[in-house]
Amino acid sequence: MDLREFLIDQYRHMEWADASVWRAVLESESAAEALRERLYHIHLVQRIFLSIWRGEAVDPQAGQEVKGKDLASWARDCYPQARAFLADAKEELDRPVVLPWSQQVAERLGLEPSVTTVRDTAAQVYTHTAHHRGQMATKLRELGGNPPLIDFIAWVWRGRPEPDWP
């Protein structure tokens, strides 16, 4: 498996795991309300990075008007687009990208960020998403919900199933 195939596999898992979390969240009205902003943040970040890879303008307000299950629909169409980009990316993975917020990071860290590539940011997207899914699982459990088992290995054991979106 080469790097592109590995990234595509991670993105397939990311979509399956995100869809599984969406199902669990929507089973509880209190969880849906409590986790809406976190869900929005995850999917906005996914879209922003896809826009950056494509050289498109970044809209930090994209999708703010969507609510509830419509937010899941809005989120859903980003995954095949990201996988298609990665599948077509040959030398693109090593292409440097400038992140619009890099100056803010420089000020916060007190240093200039090193060169960031498409590959680096592709890994950032799926690890960032996994981080926030873990936070949501904790909150879902606190609200009496039942977070799904969404570990990568659990997905592999299940035969790498396609996502089951609500």
Side-chain angles (χ1 to χ4, degrees):
M1 177 181 292
D2 70 13
L3 177 60
R4 281 184 311 134
E5 291 168 332
F6 173 78
L7 289 171
I8 291 165
D9 209 34
Q10 294 301 303
Y11 276 65
R12 286 186 59 231
H13 168 259
M14 181 173 70
E15 181 180 6
W16 171 82
D18 287 355
S20 299
V21 167
W22 266 103
R23 285 196 159 285
V25 166
L26 290 176
E27 288 176 2
S28 164
E29 192 173 312
S30 63
E33 183 60 32
L35 295 173
R36 184 206 181 284
E37 286 304 314
R38 186 68 40 96
L39 288 162
Y40 170 71
H41 170 75
I42 287 170
H43 300 305
L44 176 63
V45 168
Q46 292 168 351
R47 285 178 172 274
I48 284 173
F49 275 100
L50 180 59
S51 294
I52 290 169
W53 301 338
R54 292 174 167 172
E56 301 169 350
V58 170
D59 180 1
Q61 306 300 316
Q64 280 193 338
E65 70 285 354
V66 294
K67 304 278 187 226
K69 203 168 181 180
D70 290 339
L71 180 59
S73 297
W74 176 77
R76 183 179 184 174
D77 72 335
C78 185
Y79 300 95
Q81 293 176 50
R83 286 192 310 271
F85 176 87
L86 293 169
D88 291 340
K90 293 185 173 89
E91 295 81 28
E92 284 285 304
L93 293 178
D94 291 322
R95 178 174 51 88
V97 294
V98 176
L99 303 177
W101 55 88
S102 61
Q103 191 55 44
Q104 293 169 309
V105 172
E107 291 169 10
R108 183 174 180 190
L109 297 178
L111 57 86
E112 287 300 314
S114 296
V115 173
T116 306
T117 65
V118 170
R119 176 186 55 241
D120 298 327
T121 58
Q124 171 62 23
V125 170
Y126 71 78
T127 58
H128 174 266
T129 300
H131 168 76
H132 286 305
R133 276 195 314 262
Q135 292 175 328
M136 288 189 302
T138 299
K139 185 68 171 176
L140 186 57
R141 186 171 284 116
E142 288 171 1
L143 294 169
N146 187 21
L149 178 59
I150 53 172
D151 289 29
F152 180 80
I153 197 68
W155 178 69
V156 170
W157 289 337
R158 288 181 168 106
R160 292 178 160 87
E162 293 300 315
D164 183 18
W165 282 96

